[in-house]
Amino acid sequence: MVVPAKPSGASPVVLVTGFDPFGGQRVNPSWQAVQALHDSRIAGHRVVGAELPTVFVKCLQAMRGLLRQHRPTLVICTGQAGGRTAISLERVAINVDDARIADNAGAQPVDRAVVPQGPAAYFTGLPIKAMLQAMLDAGINAEVSQTAGTFVCNHLFFGLMHRIATRPVAAGLRGGFIHIPYLPEQAARFPGVPSMSLATMVEALRIAVACALAVEKDIAETGGQLH
Amino acid sequence: MVVPAKPSGASPVVLVTGFDPFGGQRVNPSWQAVQALHDSRIAGHRVVGAELPTVFVKCLQAMRGLLRQHRPTLVICTGQAGGRTAISLERVAINVDDARIADNAGAQPVDRAVVPQGPAAYFTGLPIKAMLQAMLDAGINAEVSQTAGTFVCNHLFFGLMHRIATRPVAAGLRGGFIHIPYLPEQAARFPGVPSMSLATMVEALRIAVACALAVEKDIAETGGQLH
Amino acid sequence: MVVPAKPSGASPVVLVTGFDPFGGQRVNPSWQAVQALHDSRIAGHRVVGAELPTVFVKCLQAMRGLLRQHRPTLVICTGQAGGRTAISLERVAINVDDARIADNAGAQPVDRAVVPQGPAAYFTGLPIKAMLQAMLDAGINAEVSQTAGTFVCNHLFFGLMHRIATRPVAAGLRGGFIHIPYLPEQAARFPGVPSMSLATMVEALRIAVACALAVEKDIAETGGQLH
Amino acid sequence: MVVPAKPSGASPVVLVTGFDPFGGQRVNPSWQAVQALHDSRIAGHRVVGAELPTVFVKCLQAMRGLLRQHRPTLVICTGQAGGRTAISLERVAINVDDARIADNAGAQPVDRAVVPQGPAAYFTGLPIKAMLQAMLDAGINAEVSQTAGTFVCNHLFFGLMHRIATRPVAAGLRGGFIHIPYLPEQAARFPGVPSMSLATMVEALRIAVACALAVEKDIAETGGQLH
């Protein structure tokens, strides 16, 4: 793989991705929030926002292209977690696709490995406990999550971590995944379904990026689940 | 009761109330939202916002004072419903106090009538179905609720409706009650607990007032519960 | 109305009703549980179990027929509350039909009174706080509920209480309503949906009848909701 | 390690474990259910039921002793998952301890590996999709779960799978973990908290054992989560 030289003097890049809408939704809050951060600057870094297709395999191909193109020092992928109440900092990606619904290309794999012969799981490369504290301190609903599911989000997360572990495009590259609740307009007609305002989501992602850039080694703070 | 004459030419008044914090909370979203509307103008009416104490009996005394003072044409009371996901348009107030926790004065009545010899319940005087549609059209989480509970909120709601039914201070006075979710900062440290941004709450109340002023007879739209 | 004389010497009757299946379900746990109690004896009373149609108006006509036929001293109506975790002792019936789905005859009334010119609500005639304690003491999930919804269950409950209030067929007749969760087989394919075993439901109803027969005046125990 | 010879002619053993009560509970449904299966026979195998302490490290020491003593061909560990509605067939164990509460010996590790230098995760060795189908067919609430949490249950699950992967005491030994809801008496005073009857739990575990003995290679049936 030939990586074109980055123009000398350019700012280091943080890559933040969202997904396109799926499952009958007209918007995907992850891309709405990422779009709002695109081209902003955080702690001397330029944020590149990108929208990925909610399609197994293809989203990972797009991710690899983005890694080659932008050679980021940090990658934060995001996706919609309809029904959750809080920004979910994902702890672990597992090596399985098991789709309850078809992806946007009609594929619905069951119990298939993301990476055959790959390990069972990867832990996130993000300082999720420090990010959790920073979000809570800002009054934002946030939690550590022990599962990113088994759909396209987990597929991307596992594929990204496998890429970082096996073919790092840049020294010290770190990455991870964050799940985001519905927007109010997605939940409006479904009483009992929680949501979060776009402004809060954008602020949460800004905090996530700033925190990941500032914190090298994560803090030890409780964030587990009894089951 | 001597009601001082309202200055001729003054705008008609909409009274909107919230409660002070209770149950160990440092804020009450209902008062936060009402405060933001205080002294604004909606459809030729002046909005008077007032904070009531989360105290049985006393909140109703304060309400009666406000009715005498402002002689509103519309009264919308609001209160915090921690754990709900949506703006809850309350359909019915029932004639019972049954407190799971003590109010802010330490009282915790069990199975006591709000108004001895009063009827079992009053339906709201607000066009809640029209309000529901208007909020959903604006992308706001909203629902019709069939119970305002049995704590101070229901006490105020029942007392207000009884006052309107038995000693109306103004011809055509209408009133009702709206429950409001937690603010994000209240829910932040409790994953699984839903919340709503203050901006959305304020917009919801503005829509509620405008809709109640515009709609005389409510529309017939489904808003019930199976159980 | 000519009421045929009850054979002298016959046991007093407790009437317990359930509903037939609705909403695409193949069973209704309320009738399953009631059926198991039919013809049993509790505290010197004979239990008559009856299945009512999940149909507005018609269920009340059937109820009136049962009251004339059996002249019970106690009536406990039950219905399915899919999604609830506990035996729900209903506190209040409200005078409104507002159907989210069609009943078993295709009717879907919206904001229609159960009894035109009737009061807004009736409180239950059952000692629900004593029943709550008795069920909890037996290790059964139970709660006081402040709303029986606005579908056929509330319709029957309101109609029964109105009948008792206005045309009592027997001196001292008392009545009320209990909601029941899904059976395990109804919830099995829907993870996240709670259920209760039939044996527990039957035991709960047996306790309900025994307690209602034993307790004339309800105890004062907390059973309210904050909202 | 010297493994004493199993008496020739003895039945093969299935080891099923539960935990002792923790978190202020007086019972642990996992041990209640396992106890009921102890010494029963399923498909020519003898079931050995054992109670493990809800204590990090120590539960694994006890497990290793049981493996040496009984040399089972199948191990199913179970634990309490208060708040879940269904029998949860755990898909994956992760290599982290992160305790929200102290275990029964007062330890509360945060972000510590179960096995330092071990892999990030192990997938279950049980045919969980076949077990899911068998339970659903029997009318039992069941689900595949993508996380066993980060407390003692996951600790035991990971430790067991690591043992099987690295020092198998018997050829073909398989193992995994199942989470179990509260019993009705644990949930009774907490409306909104789901539960399951002991009889259903016992039947579910019997099905789990029979299915694991009968099914060598799991079926491919959807059982994933979107997130």
Side-chain angles (χ1 to χ4, degrees):
Chain A
M1 184 182 69
V2 180
V3 177
K6 213 168 40 169
S8 67
S11 299
V13 164
V14 174
L15 175 63
V16 187
T17 69
F19 278 109
D20 63 1
F22 68 95
Q25 297 285 333
R26 280 182 301 184
V27 296
N28 188 316
S30 66
W31 172 235
Q32 302 291 314
V34 166
Q35 200 170 19
L37 278 185
H38 177 63
D39 228 20
S40 65
R41 302 191 71 82
I42 300 177
H45 289 63
R46 183 167 62 91
V47 175
V48 172
E51 186 184 22
L52 299 176
T54 303
V55 177
F56 287 103
V57 182
K58 201 172 150 192
C59 66
L60 269 175
Q61 293 168 343
M63 168 58 72
R64 287 194 288 267
L66 290 165
L67 292 178
R68 282 193 299 267
Q69 183 184 352
H70 298 291
R71 297 167 64 193
T73 57
L74 176 68
V75 183
I76 298 182
C77 298
T78 72
Q80 164 188 299
R84 292 200 190 170
T85 57
I87 298 287
S88 288
L89 303 160
E90 297 295 349
R91 187 197 290 262
V92 63
I94 62 174
N95 192 7
V96 70
D97 295 333
D98 190 357
R100 276 195 184 277
I101 61 174
D103 70 12
N104 283 351
Q108 192 174 354
V110 172
D111 290 349
R112 194 182 64 187
V114 180
V115 177
Q117 276 81 50
Y122 285 106
F123 285 112
T124 184
L126 303 177
I128 54 175
K129 298 297 181 70
M131 292 158 77
L132 176 69
Q133 287 307 312
M135 291 183 190
L136 295 179
D137 288 347
I140 296 173
N141 270 18
E143 66 187 344
V144 168
S145 163
Q146 326 299 331
T147 171
T150 58
F151 194 53
V152 180
C153 288
N154 173 73
H155 181 89
L156 175 67
F157 183 14
F158 187 91
L160 170 67
M161 299 315 294
H162 187 68
R163 190 79 180 178
I164 290 175
T166 58
R167 297 183 57 187
V169 289
L173 172 60
R174 290 182 300 163
F177 197 94
I178 296 176
H179 263 122
I180 290 175
Y182 278 140
L183 287 163
E185 60 261 38
Q186 294 179 285
R189 287 170 200 280
F190 303 93
V193 174
S195 62
M196 181 177 279
S197 73
L198 182 58
T200 303
M201 291 175 182
V202 173
E203 179 61 12
L205 292 189
R206 194 187 311 274
I207 289 171
V209 170
C211 184
L213 290 174
V215 176
E216 193 71 28
K217 184 174 158 34
D218 200 4
I219 59 175
E221 281 287 339
T222 306
Q225 299 287 341
L226 288 184
H227 53 79
Chain B
M1 183 182 71
V2 180
V3 176
K6 213 168 42 172
S8 68
S11 299
V13 164
V14 174
L15 175 63
V16 187
T17 69
F19 278 108
D20 63 1
F22 69 95
Q25 299 285 333
R26 281 183 299 184
V27 296
N28 188 316
S30 66
W31 172 234
Q32 301 291 314
V34 165
Q35 200 171 18
L37 279 185
H38 176 64
D39 227 20
S40 66
R41 303 191 72 82
I42 300 177
H45 289 63
R46 183 166 63 90
V47 175
V48 172
E51 186 184 21
L52 300 177
T54 303
V55 177
F56 286 103
V57 181
K58 201 172 151 193
C59 66
L60 269 174
Q61 294 167 342
M63 167 59 71
R64 287 193 289 267
L66 290 165
L67 292 178
R68 282 193 300 267
Q69 182 184 352
H70 297 291
R71 298 165 66 193
T73 57
L74 176 69
V75 183
I76 298 182
C77 298
T78 72
Q80 166 189 299
R84 292 201 189 171
T85 58
I87 298 287
S88 288
L89 303 160
E90 297 295 348
R91 188 196 290 264
V92 63
I94 63 175
N95 193 7
V96 70
D97 295 333
D98 190 358
R100 276 195 184 278
I101 61 174
D103 70 13
N104 284 350
Q108 192 175 354
V110 171
D111 290 349
R112 193 182 65 187
V114 181
V115 178
Q117 276 79 50
Y122 285 106
F123 286 113
T124 184
L126 303 177
I128 53 175
K129 299 297 181 74
M131 291 159 77
L132 176 68
Q133 287 306 311
M135 290 183 191
L136 294 180
D137 289 348
I140 296 172
N141 270 19
E143 66 187 343
V144 168
S145 163
Q146 327 299 330
T147 172
T150 57
F151 193 53
V152 180
C153 288
N154 174 76
H155 181 89
L156 175 67
F157 184 13
F158 187 90
L160 169 68
M161 299 315 295
H162 188 68
R163 191 77 179 178
I164 291 176
T166 57
R167 296 185 56 187
V169 289
L173 172 60
R174 290 182 300 163
F177 197 94
I178 296 177
H179 263 120
I180 288 176
Y182 278 140
L183 286 164
E185 59 260 38
Q186 294 178 285
R189 287 170 200 278
F190 304 93
V193 174
S195 62
M196 182 177 278
S197 73
L198 182 59
T200 302
M201 292 174 181
V202 174
E203 178 62 13
L205 292 189
R206 194 187 310 274
I207 289 171
V209 171
C211 184
L213 290 174
V215 176
E216 194 69 28
K217 183 175 158 33
D218 201 4
I219 60 174
E221 281 287 340
T222 306
Q225 299 287 341
L226 289 185
H227 55 79
Chain C
M1 185 179 70
V2 180
V3 177
K6 211 168 42 171
S8 68
S11 299
V13 164
V14 174
L15 175 64
V16 187
T17 70
F19 278 110
D20 62 2
F22 69 94
Q25 299 284 334
R26 280 183 299 185
V27 296
N28 188 316
S30 66
W31 172 236
Q32 301 291 315
V34 165
Q35 200 170 18
L37 279 185
H38 177 64
D39 227 21
S40 65
R41 303 191 71 82
I42 300 177
H45 289 65
R46 183 167 62 93
V47 175
V48 172
E51 186 183 22
L52 299 176
T54 304
V55 176
F56 287 104
V57 181
K58 201 171 150 193
C59 66
L60 269 174
Q61 293 168 343
M63 168 59 71
R64 286 194 290 267
L66 290 165
L67 292 178
R68 281 193 299 268
Q69 183 184 350
H70 298 290
R71 298 166 65 193
T73 56
L74 175 70
V75 183
I76 298 183
C77 298
T78 72
Q80 165 189 299
R84 292 201 189 170
T85 57
I87 297 287
S88 288
L89 303 160
E90 297 295 347
R91 188 197 289 263
V92 62
I94 63 175
N95 192 6
V96 70
D97 295 333
D98 190 358
R100 276 195 183 276
I101 62 173
D103 70 13
N104 283 350
Q108 193 174 355
V110 172
D111 290 350
R112 195 182 62 187
V114 179
V115 178
Q117 276 82 47
Y122 285 106
F123 286 112
T124 184
L126 303 177
I128 53 176
K129 298 298 181 72
M131 291 158 78
L132 176 67
Q133 288 306 313
M135 290 183 190
L136 295 179
D137 289 347
I140 296 173
N141 269 19
E143 65 188 342
V144 168
S145 163
Q146 327 298 329
T147 171
T150 58
F151 193 54
V152 179
C153 288
N154 174 75
H155 181 89
L156 175 67
F157 183 14
F158 187 91
L160 169 68
M161 299 314 296
H162 188 68
R163 190 78 181 178
I164 291 176
T166 58
R167 297 184 57 188
V169 289
L173 173 60
R174 290 181 300 163
F177 197 94
I178 296 177
H179 263 121
I180 289 175
Y182 277 141
L183 287 163
E185 59 260 38
Q186 293 179 285
R189 287 170 200 280
F190 303 94
V193 174
S195 62
M196 181 176 279
S197 73
L198 181 59
T200 303
M201 294 174 180
V202 173
E203 178 60 12
L205 293 189
R206 194 187 311 273
I207 289 172
V209 170
C211 184
L213 290 173
V215 176
E216 192 71 28
K217 184 175 156 35
D218 201 5
I219 61 174
E221 280 288 339
T222 306
Q225 298 288 339
L226 289 184
H227 54 79
Chain D
M1 183 181 70
V2 179
V3 177
K6 212 168 41 171
S8 68
S11 300
V13 165
V14 174
L15 175 63
V16 186
T17 70
F19 279 109
D20 63 1
F22 69 96
Q25 298 284 333
R26 281 182 299 184
V27 295
N28 188 316
S30 66
W31 171 236
Q32 301 292 315
V34 165
Q35 200 170 17
L37 279 186
H38 177 63
D39 227 21
S40 66
R41 303 191 72 84
I42 301 178
H45 289 64
R46 183 166 62 92
V47 175
V48 172
E51 185 183 23
L52 300 176
T54 303
V55 177
F56 286 104
V57 182
K58 201 172 150 193
C59 66
L60 269 174
Q61 294 167 343
M63 167 59 71
R64 286 193 290 267
L66 290 165
L67 291 178
R68 281 193 300 267
Q69 182 185 353
H70 298 290
R71 297 166 65 194
T73 57
L74 175 69
V75 182
I76 299 182
C77 298
T78 72
Q80 166 189 298
R84 292 199 189 171
T85 57
I87 297 288
S88 288
L89 303 160
E90 296 296 347
R91 188 197 290 264
V92 63
I94 63 175
N95 192 7
V96 70
D97 295 333
D98 190 357
R100 277 194 184 277
I101 62 174
D103 70 13
N104 283 351
Q108 192 174 356
V110 171
D111 291 350
R112 194 181 64 187
V114 180
V115 177
Q117 278 79 52
Y122 285 106
F123 286 113
T124 185
L126 303 177
I128 54 176
K129 298 298 181 71
M131 290 158 78
L132 177 68
Q133 288 307 312
M135 289 183 191
L136 295 179
D137 288 348
I140 296 172
N141 269 19
E143 66 187 343
V144 168
S145 164
Q146 327 299 329
T147 173
T150 58
F151 193 53
V152 180
C153 288
N154 174 75
H155 182 89
L156 174 68
F157 183 15
F158 187 91
L160 169 67
M161 299 315 294
H162 187 68
R163 190 80 180 177
I164 291 176
T166 58
R167 296 183 59 185
V169 287
L173 173 60
R174 291 182 299 163
F177 197 93
I178 297 176
H179 263 120
I180 289 176
Y182 278 140
L183 287 164
E185 59 261 37
Q186 293 179 286
R189 286 170 201 279
F190 303 94
V193 175
S195 62
M196 181 176 278
S197 72
L198 182 59
T200 303
M201 293 175 179
V202 174
E203 178 62 12
L205 292 189
R206 193 187 310 273
I207 289 172
V209 171
C211 184
L213 290 174
V215 176
E216 193 71 29
K217 184 175 158 32
D218 202 4
I219 59 174
E221 281 288 338
T222 306
Q225 298 288 340
L226 289 185
H227 54 80

